[in-house]
Amino acid sequence: MPRTRRPHRPRRAAAMAFALLVGASAAAPGAAVAAPAPPPSQPVDLVNPFIGTANEGNTYPGAAVPFGMVQLSPDTGHNTGYDHADDRIRGFSAVHLSGVGCRIGGDLPVLPTVGEVTETDNAAYAVPFDHADESASPGHYRVDLANGVRAELTASTRTGVQRYTFPATQQANVLLNAGQALHRNRASEVEVLDDRTIRTSITGSGFCQATEPYTVHTLTRFDRPFTAFGTWRGATVTEGTTRATATTGRSGAWVRFDTRGNRTVEATTALSYVDAPGAAGNLRAEGGRSFDRVHREARAAWHDRLADVRAHGGSTELRRTFYSSLYRSFLAPNVGSDADGRYRGWDQRVHHARGFTYYQNWSLWDTYRTQAQLLALLAPGESRDMALSVLRIGEDGGWLPKWGYGPVETNIMTGDPVTPFLTNAYQQGLLEGHEEETYRALTRNADGVPPADSPAVGREGNASYLERGYVPYLKRPHAKPGDSDFDHGASATLEYALADAALAEMARDLGHHDDARRYTARSRAYRALLDPATGFFRARDETGAFTGPADPAHGVGFHEGTSWQYQWLVPQDLPGLIDLLGGAERTNARLDAFFAYDRLVADPARTAREAWVNKPYAYYGAATYNPHNEPDLLAPYTYLATGRPWQTTDVVHAALSLYTDAPTGMTGNDDLGTMSAWHVLSALGLYPVRPGTDVWGLSTPVFPRVDLSLDRRFFPRGGFRVLAPDVSPERRYIRSARLDGVDHPRTHLTTDTLRGLGTLSYTVGTTPSAWGTDRAAVLPATGATGP
């Protein structure tokens, strides 16, 4: 057994923090404690959609179904939609993304008002509200507005349903604002078709630096005729007109009802990214149902999805944060095809998805690290269709995506995230029958650069990477809108190398052995970045010289991070990285400094909030762990390769304490479920430690028992169970692990093992043990992974 430092013993502060995590009582002996209210009995009742709506989590509290095209939610003036600190609602719009950092969506904000319609700017006609008069649950949102109107929202896959309960009045209005959205409006059109129906088309762009336009078509049908109507263009409101258009200015329509008898108005809005007939077809397919029925069906869809993971034990807060993260993990990607199977491809032509559902909205730089693996586990059927959709993007648009919104490429973020996304789908067995097709698309992406007339940037730095073994750091005008790999040459090199390692495994499996050797050699490109003078990765210029400040907390060339954070992004070759850093002891010392480990053991919750990066957008100038962003999400699991698995548990559980049942209870932007999926997987103690492959790292779960019901097409036993029956504040360290009663000394396992598994059980104790410390037990390099 390799020589290791004496394990730390848990201290009282650490035990108290863990007590908060698992819900142990902290009441003094003999103290009178009121009988608690019975906890919710179903996972769907534990979800709090308001988590992440403050402190730039950028989540939304409104109504959606799993992976739905529609996300009907209030907008308060925040650039991505809703902020818990705001007190006025500008409208309930139909499109939102969970946790993005740039404005997008917000199409067709609809707002109920009372009285004359005089304003056309939704910032001016916004209505006050109070959080005391607001509630949300999966598939449902309600708020009582200060104008006396109760607004309720629910959704199906392609429609959003609104119910407005007005005061008794002859001037109950609904405003449909086609010309204002969260993104940059390029054009808008609104038309009153008859006394119940409004059509709009909205063209926009502008996710971060992106410029490619897309169009959303909507059709809104009211449950009864309106008594008056009109439109507006710019600041001019005209009664009785049926049509208004605008380019960058405002346009919209208003309709009026007499609510002195029937005070309730219901409306269903259908979306299509294809055309107006597509919106009409989606309305025919999913409309015509009452608000209450749609709400019941939305709730049932969420119940079926969330109940596949049954967590037992722990406090109500722990279970609420867990199931809320699980809920957010299922919000994207989103259905992009209409009910008839048509979708708009990245060539801006209409295509047909036959035999699968087409999905869109690809935050791949984020989701390839956690959410893709969680969905492959819990939603393999949908994950298969998502992978096929990405292949279709490559076929329709001529190149695989990097960060896609709707039917367009935004080129946001850097590296090569599509490769580990698709190789993960392959390794999880989701691409049967499409293996060689996937491989051809990936090798084209990995070995080339998109043509100049393609909107995609792909691996922009590939020519330099293949010639020099690294992407140089260059500050120059971007060749195409979006981010540039040359602006982030150091991190792009690390991301390319990670992708090459995943592709090498796929090549090896498919018998392309020459390719496998070539990609494996390229996967060691991270070594070219190590500056022997500092012992850290640094950016290099075109001449090969290291460039920028030598301080690893202030260097250049790393995207949304520092060298301290990116130094752990070598999951394909942790043994090689450890050797490069001077061996296990020196690597552990650097990890300990990175996590402020001595402080963390004494007071984990406080250390996580004060010693680590603690602001959502604090990307640069830090030498500590950033739990708010993606580049170092893997870092806590590096201890699994250095012979100290107990330290992974210490760090992961400290990070889990950052997730709470409050609007501020998210770590940074959720990034379409990435951070939520990190929470879910880490709480299960089963984490994808090598993106793009089928390797899962093991750490102590936070629940005594979790039952996972999984798709029998992929998991013949119908799922498996994770047991840690004695987990407690003092008993949190793994002493042994068993797979169906058989000892498992390793700190990892593969998807093939999970597929045949019935029970993964842990014996836990009060102090670290020798489990996982043997050389044969730690994470090996790519291509050398056991069961």
Side-chain angles (χ1 to χ4, degrees), residues 361-667:
N361 299 339
W362 303 103
S363 182
L364 293 175
W365 186 83
D366 309 288
T367 59
Y368 88 80
R369 306 166 198 264
T370 58
Q371 194 228 19
Q373 293 87 342
L374 181 65
L375 295 187
L377 188 69
L378 300 180
E382 291 86 346
S383 293
R384 174 185 180 274
D385 287 359
M386 292 169 189
L388 292 178
S389 299
V390 169
L391 288 177
R392 278 294 186 93
I393 289 171
E395 180 181 340
D396 299 338
W399 209 266
L400 291 172
K402 180 167 282 189
W403 209 121
Y405 180 76
V408 300
E409 173 66 88
T410 71
N411 291 322
I412 298 305
M413 308 313 296
T414 47
D416 178 17
V418 71
T419 292
F421 174 84
L422 283 175
T423 58
N424 170 72
Y426 162 75
Q427 295 289 356
Q428 308 298 340
L430 306 180
L431 286 171
E432 185 175 355
H434 298 272
E435 295 91 343
E436 289 294 342
E437 173 191 355
T438 304
Y439 184 72
R440 287 193 300 273
L442 287 173
T443 55
R444 182 169 183 255
N445 174 75
D447 293 337
V449 177
D453 61 353
S454 169
V457 296
R459 284 194 181 198
E460 185 183 16
N462 226 11
S464 297
Y465 175 75
L466 299 180
E467 177 185 351
R468 300 179 175 89
Y470 66 91
V471 180
Y473 169 66
L474 302 173
K475 294 298 292 182
R476 65 187 188 188
H478 292 192
K480 298 176 182 180
D483 288 310
S484 169
D485 287 348
F486 291 113
D487 279 353
H488 312 281
S491 56
T493 300
L494 295 173
E495 300 270 9
Y496 287 10
L498 183 157
D500 282 339
L503 189 53
E505 284 212 356
M506 185 177 185
R508 190 177 300 111
D509 289 348
L510 296 177
H512 301 292
H513 297 296
D514 289 342
D515 284 354
R517 286 187 286 270
R518 181 164 57 92
Y519 292 129
T520 297
R522 280 162 45 172
S523 75
R524 305 298 188 250
Y526 70 91
R527 295 169 180 263
L529 300 181
L530 191 79
D531 179 2
T534 66
F536 282 87
F537 295 146
R538 291 184 65 192
R540 303 178 75 163
D541 64 21
E542 285 185 296
T543 71
F546 292 108
T547 185
D551 182 351
H554 294 89
V556 297
F558 294 93
H559 203 172
E560 295 188 358
T562 68
S563 181
W564 268 102
Q565 291 146 8
Y566 269 99
Q567 69 184 311
W568 314 113
L569 193 63
V570 190
Q572 71 272 20
D573 187 25
L574 286 176
L577 175 65
I578 291 167
D579 287 344
L580 204 62
L581 297 181
E585 285 301 312
R586 289 188 177 182
T587 302
N588 280 324
R590 189 174 289 193
L591 282 165
D592 290 352
F594 181 64
F595 292 115
Y597 186 74
D598 288 341
R599 287 180 59 185
L600 180 142
V601 171
D603 193 342
R606 184 172 182 178
T607 301
R609 283 166 173 78
E610 296 181 1
W612 296 350
V613 176
N614 52 44
K615 294 181 180 179
Y617 298 117
Y619 299 141
Y620 303 108
T624 53
Y625 180 46
N626 184 358
H628 299 271
N629 205 33
E630 282 74 16
D632 57 357
L633 287 182
L634 275 167
Y637 294 91
T638 308
Y639 285 116
L640 299 184
T642 65
R644 294 186 182 173
W646 70 88
Q647 292 189 247
T648 288
T649 290
D650 287 334
V651 174
V652 166
H653 284 207
L656 287 171
S657 72
L658 297 171
Y659 292 80
T660 68
D661 182 24
T664 57
M666 273 290 305
T667 57

Side-chain angles (χ1 to χ4, degrees), residues 93-153:
S93 62
V95 179
H96 297 84
L97 295 184
S98 182
V100 294
C102 297
R103 62 176 68 244
I104 196 69
D107 299 286
L108 192 63
V110 177
L111 191 70
T113 67
V114 176
E116 293 295 336
V117 178
T118 59
E119 297 282 356
T120 64
D121 182 350
N122 60 19
Y125 64 66
V127 180
F129 76 106
D130 192 293
H131 293 305
D133 301 319
E134 185 183 37
S135 66
S137 61
H140 184 263
Y141 173 87
R142 177 197 60 78
V143 64
D144 291 339
L145 298 170
N147 61 8
V149 181
R150 167 168 288 188
E152 296 175 87
L153 314 176

Side-chain angles (χ1 to χ4, degrees), residues 230-250:
T231 65
W232 69 79
R233 178 173 179 174
T236 303
V237 179
T238 308
E239 185 171 356
T241 54
T242 61
R243 192 168 182 270
T245 62
T247 52
T248 58
R250 298 193 296 272

Side-chain angles (χ1 to χ4, degrees), residues 251-310:
S251 71
W254 57 272
V255 297
R256 178 167 292 162
F257 300 88
D258 186 338
T259 58
R260 290 174 297 176
N262 179 4
R263 295 175 54 199
T264 301
V265 174
E266 293 188 8
T268 301
T269 298
L271 264 60
S272 171
Y273 288 81
V274 178
D275 51 26
N282 291 341
L283 187 62
R284 286 193 300 271
E286 299 183 19
R289 296 172 291 170
S290 70
F291 181 95
D292 288 333
R293 178 182 170 186
V294 177
H295 175 208
R296 287 194 300 270
E297 291 174 354
R299 176 183 165 82
W302 280 113
H303 168 80
D304 292 346
R305 185 68 64 181
L306 299 172
D308 285 343
V309 182
R310 290 282 184 173

